[in-house]
Amino acid sequence: MDKVTVLFTPENIAIQVAPGTSLLQAANLAGINLVSSCGGDGTCGRCLVKVQDGHVRVSESGNLSARAKQAGLVLACQAFADSNVVVNIPSMSRLAEHQVLLDENQLMEEDIETEEGFSFLPLCRTIELTLSPPNLAENVADWERLQIALRSAMNCSDIRISLPVLSRLPEVLRADDWRVTVIVTQINDCAEVVDIAAGHVQKNLKNYGLAIDIGTTTVAVSLIDLVSGLPVGNKGTYNRQASFGDDVISRIIHASEGKNGLAELQSAIVNTINDLVTELLELSHIETNEVRIVTVAGNTAMTHLFLGLSPKYIRLEPYIPLAAATPAVKACELGLKINPAAYVVCFPSVASYVGGDIVSGLLVANLAKEERITLFIDIGTNGEMVLGNRDWLVTAACSAGPAFEGGGITHGMRAMKGAIDNIAIDPATFDVEVTTIGRCRAQGICGSGLINCLATLRAVGIIDRAGKLQTDLPTPRLRQGDDGWEFVLVYGKDTAHGRDIVITENDLKNLLRAKAAVYAGIRSMLHAVQLTEDMIDCVLIAGGFGNYLNIRDAVTIGLLPDLPAERYKFIGNSSLKGARIALISQEAWQEAQILGSKMTYLELSAGNEFMDEFMSALFLPHTDMTRFPSVTNLK
């Protein structure tokens, strides 16, 4: 079958595809990642491109605004190349570098012992041994002799060795009078010798590991020296799976129903990780074969997609994952560009929507050792939360939707350069001042900016408690748009793309639903254990979005409980930090396995409790103002 050529500008990247291929698919094949919140269904209206030359067949089913049509734009997912075309991709349609929270604090042996309480003993470690040489009277075979020495040094009975390493063993043992240095990976009660060298050369034998946080939106990687326990470097970027949908459900549907969907999603995340790892290794002058172990923390769906496991039944009642605790696999099975024999281990999940990233976070938070009643919460496309102390732990997840990640919002975007993160409005003139990430011209508004926007609009009386715009106010910023009433945050003359940035009533409804879902989840958990909000001693907020959240704004709109500010604490990217701790502490890894099985999962879709709380929370801050005594200006 003849192919057609699609040329993308301004990169001038050309790719040949079969006739009828969507421009979105062609862009993905060309390695150009477009914003596509809906995964290519045409409903989000985000993957806007302009056909500069040639002709495309355009479906009429996509959600394309009148303004976009007038500008000559089409949706890449609804435009199909039947002949050679030249396509321009505007900056607003691109997935660019994100503001990724890496948690740069260094982890040292003494930090782990005093701060997290875990001893330094890496999952893959270097051991120097001196073996007794054989003789005619004592003639134990070489491998059995090494096993005996390792069992004594490691307190582990199940010790294995790969065939390539075994074949080198006789010569290495005898090269330096039976003095050897071995690198051994130990996961739970099973160990494997992955390398061996003659002599006591621990300082010269390089041994590194990777800790990886796979988020729905971003991916972060930390490279660790397993001899010292110190980080060598950190890198982060967006998760390329976003091309197939912003949220977990869109990706599960694509993996389950799309042709080669599962393989596409696995390839996207593996390629994301490989690029980060390659950059880290090049900067550090480290060889790929010197990376011998990987720990991975991600939500349940991300873990399934990373391992190439079907996530189909995660989204279907009764919401059962394929596996909660997955087996260790070799890097070569996944296509990771490190030592092919390196083991890759994933944190266990608790349920379909409470995953290994939360288990990893609890490891950092030491929640299972706390006497105080603590609420741990990670807000993203899902609001995942854990409530309890050392005696009990209850966990739940609510679907907040993609609003806090910028999805489903007219000019929403992720936390990247040009995203509005703070808004100030003059209550007399309604003039607006904004700040952006990177302090450059605005391109859109990110999650933390949206929460601030909602609080600010209500504070100055532009919206009422139901989130409706007050259309009788004397300002031209309030106007009728394509989708109803809207308020102009930044006029086109001051934006990066020359178009007005607005917040619409539909956007406000999406934000109210998202904040209501999170608060309703917290209330439902409290009700299940017969506690009230004031009995929460500490609230730990994890994740990239949470780190940039203004607590006062979050309380003002009713996203979080109205508690004293000192009870709130940001703990950063706890998922990545937990993965690093487990990488360098056998004790921590074993604790993570226990944590995964210790939590009681509360399914919020069962019964009416969650829905009743959700409906009550669809106001600013709530229908019951007595729950928010400090919010006096929203009555």
Side-chain angles (χ1 to χ4, degrees), residues 181-203:
T181 303
V182 296
I183 296 180
V184 185
T185 296
Q186 182 177 356
I187 301 168
N188 301 326
D189 297 324
C190 181
E192 180 177 323
V193 178
V194 297
D195 202 359
I196 185 168
H200 288 176
V201 291
Q202 176 172 308
K203 292 183 179 180

Side-chain angles (χ1 to χ4, degrees), residues 5 27 38 54 61 107 133 175 178 207 214 220 232 243 307 326 334 359 451 529 540 564 577 580 597 614 619:
T5 300
C38 62
S61 61
L107 289 177
W178 298 88
N207 185 21
I214 302 178
V232 177
S243 296
L307 296 175
T326 55
L334 299 173
V359 174
I451 289 175
V529 294
L540 301 177
K577 189 174 182 182
R580 292 195 306 213
S597 60
F614 175 76
F619 292 86

Side-chain angles (χ1 to χ4, degrees), residues 133 137 146 164 275 411-412 611:
L146 181 60
D275 284 353
H411 288 102
M611 187 52 65

Side-chain angles (χ1 to χ4, degrees), residues 572-600:
N573 190 340
S574 58
S575 178
L576 179 62
K577 189 174 182 182
R580 292 195 306 213
I581 293 171
L583 188 67
I584 57 178
S585 175
Q586 293 273 347
E587 183 186 358
W589 175 252
Q590 291 165 9
E591 176 69 17
Q593 313 313 302
I594 296 170
L595 275 173
S597 60
K598 185 177 180 180
M599 286 182 267
T600 300

Side-chain angles (χ1 to χ4, degrees), residues 8 15-18 21-32 264:
F8 292 103
I15 187 167
Q16 290 191 321
V17 296
T21 300
S22 75
L23 297 183
L24 178 62
Q25 291 172 318
N28 287 338
L29 291 170
I32 301 171
E264 288 177 332

Side-chain angles (χ1 to χ4, degrees), residues 527-550:
H527 185 266
V529 294
Q530 299 182 343
L531 296 178
T532 56
E533 292 172 24
D534 61 307
M535 298 174 74
I536 300 173
D537 297 310
C538 178
V539 181
L540 301 177
I541 301 178
F545 172 72
N547 195 66
Y548 303 105
L549 183 66
N550 182 293

Side-chain angles (χ1 to χ4, degrees), residues 455 458-459 465 551-563 620-622 624-635:
R458 179 62 190 126
R465 288 185 56 206
I551 293 297
R552 187 63 247 165
D553 288 341
V555 171
T556 297
I557 69 170
L559 172 67
L560 295 175
D562 194 352
L563 298 172
L620 295 170
H622 198 272
D624 183 0
M625 287 296 295
T626 62
R627 294 186 184 175
F628 291 87
S630 74
V631 185
T632 58
N633 63 327
L634 298 188
K635 293 180 180 179

Side-chain angles (χ1 to χ4, degrees), residues 308-349:
L309 302 175
S310 172
K312 179 178 179 179
Y313 295 101
I314 287 176
R315 63 176 282 266
L316 301 176
E317 193 174 342
Y319 317 114
I320 305 299
L322 188 157
T326 55
V329 297
K330 293 293 183 77
C332 59
E333 298 177 73
L334 299 173
L336 292 179
K337 294 180 180 179
I338 55 174
N339 190 314
Y343 275 108
V344 181
V345 293
C346 297
F347 275 74
S349 297

